Amino acid sequence: MQKNQDIFISHSGQDKQIIDDFIDLILVGGMSVPIDKIFSSSSDGTKIKSGTDWRDSILSALQNAKINFLFISSNYKESEVCMNEMGAGWVTSAKVIPLIIEPINYKTVGVIQEPIQIEKLLDEKSLDRIKDLLQETFEIPNSLIKSDRWTAKKKEFVLKTKAFLKANPFKKPLDRQEFDDLIEENNELETTLTKIIEEKNELEKLVEDLKNAKDKSDVKEIVKKYSNTTEYDEFEILTQKVCDSLSDFHPIIIGIIFKTFSNKDITIKALAYSEEVDEALANDYINEELEAVFNKTQKMQKIEMLLDKLSLFLSKDLSSEFHEQYENEYDAPFSISNKIFWKDVLDLNLYFS
């Protein structure tokens, strides 16, 4: 390996075609960077020599490089070697330039950098900034970088890489929130499946016992035996689920959700809570008219579903025992469209101003 390799290119071997074109068209073709100043583990003329310990070669190249390019793609994120190179790159004296390749974006890149320090590989302005940095770092004279030639090579690289990516698309990466949501959804599905299996087993036992029943008295006893949940138990489970689904919202946002769901003409004065409102707007929980948006996010869809379930339960012909127990527990009106019900029964604090 040459000792004067000043440019280190950290990349996934699966992205070799993109790296080859970047070296040929941008670095060598557009900027006249000598090929022996470039280290890339997979490109001809720049890669590790046969018989050399690749770990020592990479370490030496990282330590000696003046500029460290990180070509962050979906393949890069899945490579342990690449992620190690990324971590090592931050502690060297080299200038680190992360280059993201869609569908990787500022949200999913995962490097400890501000977005303004990350360049997009297929953005011509980003490539121009890279040119300026390389020219300054290596003191490349203008005579070696002709404007027309640079522009032509830059456009050729962008068009060629876009065509390659269209023919060989990356898988879309998940950001942390999407991943957490999927894990939560999977856990809920597993819990639901376990419950369904348990209920199926209970029903099979119920059917078998009913087959052996001799008269109505036996049937009544069997039904009582398998009915472990009372109406009030079901009510408490529903109200707790509603409370849990809304408990992490600020009271002003809960107030907006209450207004929208109850369809009441309530004036929301949220000037004092601009930060909370902006956050909810950004997450598509509410709209500009300060109304809840139930159809854009899984979180809000779940809230609407739980509120609908509770509303349907309250409209049922419930037993006198249930109403007696409710009245002993609460003074709140028995209505999901009542603010006191939300405060006392659902244990939620809500503001309108």
Side-chain angles (χ1 to χ4, degrees):
M1 184 183 69
Q2 301 283 348
K3 291 185 178 180
N4 61 337
Q5 289 172 308
D6 296 325
I7 297 174
F8 184 94
I9 297 181
S10 175
H11 68 286
S12 165
Q14 297 181 64
D15 300 333
K16 180 180 184 301
Q17 183 61 56
I18 298 173
I19 306 306
D20 286 348
D21 290 337
F22 181 81
I23 292 172
D24 292 343
L25 297 172
I26 297 298
L27 297 182
V28 178
M31 297 202 62
S32 301
V33 175
I35 192 71
D36 62 2
K37 284 189 174 290
I38 305 165
F39 178 91
S40 168
S41 60
S42 63
S43 300
D44 292 339
T46 68
K47 59 187 178 183
I48 301 167
K49 289 183 178 181
S50 176
T52 305
D53 188 315
W54 63 272
R55 290 165 297 190
D56 291 341
S57 296
I58 289 176
L59 177 60
S60 177
L62 270 170
Q63 290 173 334
N64 293 321
K66 294 180 181 178
I67 291 182
N68 182 2
F69 285 112
L70 310 178
F71 280 73
I72 305 174
S73 67
S74 298
N75 292 329
Y76 190 97
K77 298 276 287 180
E78 294 176 1
S79 167
E80 183 178 351
V81 172
C82 289
M83 298 310 289
N84 286 337
E85 288 179 358
M86 177 191 285
W90 298 125
V91 298
T92 67
S93 60
K95 295 178 181 177
V96 179
I97 305 176
L99 290 165
I100 56 177
I101 309 173
E102 291 187 351
I104 297 294
N105 53 44
Y106 295 140
K107 194 175 182 181
T108 60
V109 64
V111 294
I112 308 173
Q113 284 282 77
E114 292 296 326
I116 56 173
Q117 296 175 290
I118 300 172
E119 301 290 359
K120 294 182 178 180
L121 179 66
L122 299 183
D123 181 85
E124 292 191 27
K125 291 183 179 179
S126 285
L127 293 173
D128 287 337
R129 285 191 289 270
I130 290 169
K131 175 183 76 70
D132 293 341
L133 177 62
L134 287 169
Q135 188 171 6
E136 178 185 350
T137 301
F138 299 119
E139 299 180 350
I140 303 173
N142 290 329
S143 60
L144 292 180
I145 307 177
K146 301 294 185 181
S147 295
D148 290 345
R149 182 164 170 248
W150 164 253
T151 300
K153 292 294 184 181
K154 175 180 64 175
K155 289 186 178 295
E156 182 182 355
F157 171 73
V158 171
L159 291 173
K160 191 172 182 180
T161 305
K162 283 183 176 179
F164 174 79
L165 292 175
K166 185 175 181 181
N168 304 275
F170 291 124
K171 293 180 180 179
K172 181 182 182 298
L174 295 176
D175 63 42
R176 185 68 200 184
Q177 185 59 52
E178 290 173 323
F179 177 79
D180 289 343
D181 288 345
L182 286 174
I183 292 296
E184 182 180 355
E185 183 179 347
N186 181 69
N187 291 338
E188 289 177 354
L189 288 172
E190 287 183 352
T191 301
T192 301
L193 178 60
T194 301
K195 186 176 179 180
I196 290 173
I197 293 172
E198 291 174 350
E199 290 176 350
K200 175 178 176 292
N201 293 335
E202 283 292 300
L203 285 173
E204 288 176 348
K205 292 178 184 177
L206 172 61
V207 170
E208 188 63 30
D209 286 350
L210 288 173
K211 285 180 180 178
N212 297 326
K214 297 177 181 179
D215 51 34
K216 290 183 179 180
S217 177
D218 282 352
V219 170
K220 186 175 181 180
E221 287 300 317
I222 291 169
V223 172
K224 183 178 179 181
K225 172 185 173 182
Y226 286 95
S227 298
N228 296 320
T229 304
T230 67
E231 287 179 336
Y232 204 82
D233 290 335
E234 185 179 351
F235 172 70
E236 288 187 322
I237 291 170
L238 277 173
T239 55
Q240 186 59 52
K241 285 183 176 180
V242 171
C243 176
D244 290 343
S245 70
L246 289 165
S247 60
D248 60 342
F249 283 107
H250 187 274
I252 192 68
I253 307 303
I254 298 176
I256 293 171
I257 293 172
F258 170 83
K259 170 196 171 183
T260 304
F261 187 80
S262 63
N263 199 29
K264 288 192 171 183
D265 187 17
I266 298 171
T267 300
I268 302 291
K269 298 177 181 178
L271 289 177
Y273 308 103
S274 58
E275 184 176 340
E276 289 79 8
V277 169
D278 286 346
E279 180 72 14
L281 279 167
N283 290 326
D284 288 329
Y285 297 153
I286 63 174
N287 59 25
E288 297 285 351
E289 287 72 39
L290 298 185
E291 297 170 334
V293 178
F294 291 114
N295 61 356
K296 281 193 175 182
T297 61
Q298 289 184 354
K299 185 178 183 70
M300 292 298 289
Q301 288 172 359
K302 180 180 178 181
I303 288 170
E304 185 181 35
M305 178 196 70
L306 290 172
L307 289 171
D308 283 339
K309 278 187 176 181
L310 180 56
S311 180
L312 181 62
F313 179 88
L314 298 182
S315 67
K316 288 168 58 176
D317 185 14
L318 300 166
S319 67
S320 58
E321 289 83 0
F322 173 89
H323 285 289
E324 181 179 352
Q325 191 168 356
Y326 178 85
E327 289 168 6
N328 288 335
E329 187 79 21
Y330 303 108
D331 292 327
F334 194 61
S335 170
I336 199 170
S337 297
N338 185 276
K339 179 183 177 183
I340 301 174
F341 181 91
W342 281 52
K343 289 176 70 70
D344 292 354
V345 180
L346 300 181
D347 195 26
L348 293 168
N349 199 11
L350 59 164
Y351 301 163
F352 301 136
S353 62

